[in-house]
Coordinates of all heavy atoms in Angstrom, one line a residue:
I1 N 37.9 155.3 81.8 CA 39.1 155.4 82.7 C 39.9 154.1 82.6 O 41.1 154.1 82.5 CB 38.7 155.8 84.1 CG1 38.2 157.2 84.2 CG2 39.9 155.6 85.1 CD1 37.6 157.6 85.5
K2 N 39.1 153.0 82.8 CA 39.8 151.7 82.8 C 40.5 151.3 81.4 O 41.5 150.7 81.4 CB 38.7 150.6 83.1 CG 39.3 149.2 83.3 CD 38.2 148.2 83.6 CE 37.4 148.5 84.8 NZ 36.3 147.6 85.1
N3 N 39.9 151.8 80.3 CA 40.4 151.5 79.0 C 41.3 152.6 78.4 O 41.6 152.5 77.2 CB 39.2 151.1 78.1 CG 38.5 149.9 78.5 OD1 39.1 148.9 78.9 ND2 37.2 150.0 78.4
S4 N 41.6 153.6 79.2 CA 42.4 154.7 78.7 C 43.8 154.2 78.4 O 44.4 153.4 79.1 CB 42.4 155.8 79.7 OG 43.1 155.5 80.9
D5 N 44.4 154.8 77.3 CA 45.7 154.5 76.9 C 46.7 155.3 77.8 O 47.8 154.9 78.0 CB 46.0 154.9 75.4 CG 45.1 154.1 74.5 OD1 44.9 152.9 74.7 OD2 44.5 154.7 73.6
S6 N 46.3 156.5 78.2 CA 47.2 157.3 79.0 C 46.3 158.2 79.8 O 45.1 158.5 79.6 CB 48.1 158.2 78.0 OG 47.3 159.0 77.2
S7 N 46.9 158.8 80.8 CA 46.3 159.7 81.7 C 47.3 160.7 82.3 O 48.5 160.4 82.3 CB 45.5 159.0 82.8 OG 46.4 158.4 83.7
Y8 N 46.8 161.8 82.6 CA 47.7 162.8 83.3 C 46.9 163.8 84.1 O 45.7 163.9 83.9 CB 48.6 163.5 82.3 CG 47.9 164.4 81.3 CD1 47.7 165.8 81.6 CD2 47.3 163.9 80.1 CE1 47.0 166.6 80.7 CE2 46.7 164.7 79.2 CZ 46.5 166.0 79.5 OH 45.8 166.8 78.6
N9 N 47.5 164.4 85.1 CA 46.9 165.4 85.9 C 47.5 166.7 85.6 O 48.7 166.8 85.3 CB 47.1 165.1 87.4 CG 46.4 163.8 87.8 OD1 45.3 163.5 87.3 ND2 47.0 163.0 88.7
K10 N 46.7 167.8 85.8 CA 47.2 169.1 85.6 C 46.6 170.0 86.7 O 45.5 169.9 87.0 CB 46.7 169.5 84.2 CG 47.0 170.9 83.8 CD 46.5 171.1 82.4 CE 45.8 172.5 82.2 NZ 45.3 172.7 80.9
S11 N 47.5 170.9 87.2 CA 47.0 171.9 88.2 C 46.0 172.8 87.5 O 46.2 173.1 86.3 CB 48.1 172.6 88.8 OG 49.0 171.8 89.5
Y12 N 45.0 173.2 88.2 CA 44.0 174.1 87.7 C 43.9 175.3 88.6 O 44.0 175.1 89.8 CB 42.7 173.4 87.6 CG 41.9 173.7 86.4 CD1 42.2 173.2 85.1 CD2 40.8 174.6 86.5 CE1 41.4 173.5 84.0 CE2 40.1 174.9 85.3 CZ 40.4 174.4 84.1 OH 39.6 174.7 83.0
Y13 N 43.8 176.5 88.1 CA 43.8 177.7 88.9 C 42.5 178.4 89.0 O 42.4 179.6 88.7 CB 45.0 178.6 88.5 CG 46.3 177.8 88.5 CD1 46.9 177.3 87.4 CD2 46.9 177.6 89.8 CE1 48.1 176.6 87.5 CE2 48.1 176.9 89.9 CZ 48.7 176.4 88.7 OH 49.8 175.7 88.8
R14 N 41.5 177.7 89.4 CA 40.2 178.3 89.7 C 39.8 178.0 91.1 O 40.3 177.0 91.7 CB 39.1 177.7 88.8 CG 39.1 178.3 87.4 CD 38.1 177.7 86.5 NE 36.7 177.6 87.1 CZ 35.7 177.1 86.5 NH1 35.8 176.7 85.2 NH2 34.5 177.1 87.1
T15 N 39.0 178.8 91.7 CA 38.7 178.6 93.1 C 37.9 177.3 93.3 O 37.9 176.7 94.4 CB 37.9 179.8 93.7 OG1 36.7 180.0 92.9 CG2 38.8 181.0 93.7
D16 N 37.1 176.9 92.3 CA 36.2 175.7 92.5 C 36.9 174.4 92.0 O 36.5 173.3 92.3 CB 34.9 175.9 91.8 CG 35.0 176.4 90.4 OD1 36.1 176.8 90.0 OD2 33.9 176.3 89.7
F17 N 38.0 174.5 91.2 CA 38.7 173.3 90.8 C 40.2 173.5 91.1 O 40.7 174.6 90.9 CB 38.6 173.2 89.2 CG 37.2 173.1 88.7 CD1 36.9 173.9 87.6 CD2 36.3 172.3 89.3 CE1 35.6 173.9 87.1 CE2 35.0 172.3 88.7 CZ 34.7 173.1 87.7
V18 N 40.8 172.5 91.5 CA 42.2 172.5 91.8 C 43.1 171.7 90.9 O 44.1 172.1 90.4 CB 42.5 172.1 93.3 CG1 44.0 172.0 93.6 CG2 41.8 173.0 94.3
T19 N 42.5 170.5 90.5 CA 43.2 169.7 89.5 C 42.3 169.2 88.4 O 41.1 169.1 88.6 CB 43.8 168.4 90.2 OG1 42.8 167.6 90.8 CG2 44.8 168.8 91.3
A20 N 42.9 168.9 87.3 CA 42.1 168.3 86.2 C 42.9 167.0 85.9 O 44.1 167.0 85.7 CB 42.1 169.2 85.0
S21 N 42.1 165.9 85.8 CA 42.7 164.6 85.4 C 42.1 164.3 84.0 O 40.9 164.4 83.8 CB 42.3 163.5 86.4 OG 42.8 163.8 87.7
Y22 N 43.0 163.9 83.1 CA 42.6 163.6 81.8 C 42.9 162.1 81.5 O 43.9 161.6 81.8 CB 43.3 164.4 80.8 CG 43.1 165.9 80.9 CD1 43.8 166.7 81.8 CD2 42.1 166.5 80.1 CE1 43.5 168.0 82.0 CE2 41.9 167.9 80.3 CZ 42.6 168.6 81.2 OH 42.3 170.0 81.3
Y23 N 41.9 161.4 80.9 CA 42.0 160.0 80.5 C 41.7 159.9 79.0 O 40.7 160.3 78.6 CB 41.0 159.2 81.3 CG 41.3 159.2 82.8 CD1 40.6 160.2 83.5 CD2 42.2 158.4 83.4 CE1 40.8 160.3 84.9 CE2 42.4 158.4 84.8 CZ 41.7 159.4 85.5 OH 41.9 159.5 86.9
T24 N 42.7 159.4 78.2 CA 42.5 159.3 76.8 C 42.5 157.9 76.3 O 43.1 157.0 76.9 CB 43.6 160.1 76.0 OG1 44.9 159.5 76.4 CG2 43.6 161.5 76.4
N25 N 41.7 157.6 75.3 CA 41.6 156.3 74.7 C 41.8 156.5 73.2 O 40.9 157.1 72.5 CB 40.3 155.6 75.0 CG 40.2 154.2 74.5 OD1 40.7 153.9 73.4 ND2 39.5 153.4 75.2
K26 N 42.9 156.2 72.7 CA 43.2 156.4 71.3 C 42.3 155.6 70.3 O 42.0 156.0 69.2 CB 44.7 156.2 71.0 CG 45.6 157.2 71.6 CD 47.0 156.9 71.4 CE 47.9 157.8 72.2 NZ 49.3 157.5 72.2
K27 N 41.9 154.4 70.8 CA 41.1 153.5 70.0 C 39.8 154.1 69.5 O 39.4 154.0 68.4 CB 40.9 152.2 70.7 CG 40.2 151.1 69.9 CD 40.0 149.9 70.7 CE 39.3 148.8 69.8 NZ 39.1 147.6 70.6

């Protein structure tokens, strides 16, 4: 998470999950 180049959140449509956060590190 700390070294990620980018991150974004996405709504998720399941009863047990509401959002998904993605952290990417291109390196």
Side-chain angles (χ1 to χ4, degrees):
I1 292 171
K2 191 182 296 180
N3 296 319
S4 66
D5 300 314
S6 63
S7 65
Y8 65 94
N9 292 324
K10 175 176 139 180
S11 295
Y12 216 79
Y13 300 102
R14 281 180 46 178
T15 57
D16 49 347
F17 306 132
V18 175
T19 61
S21 299
Y22 297 86
Y23 300 90
T24 59
N25 184 325
K26 293 177 186 172
K27 183 178 179 181

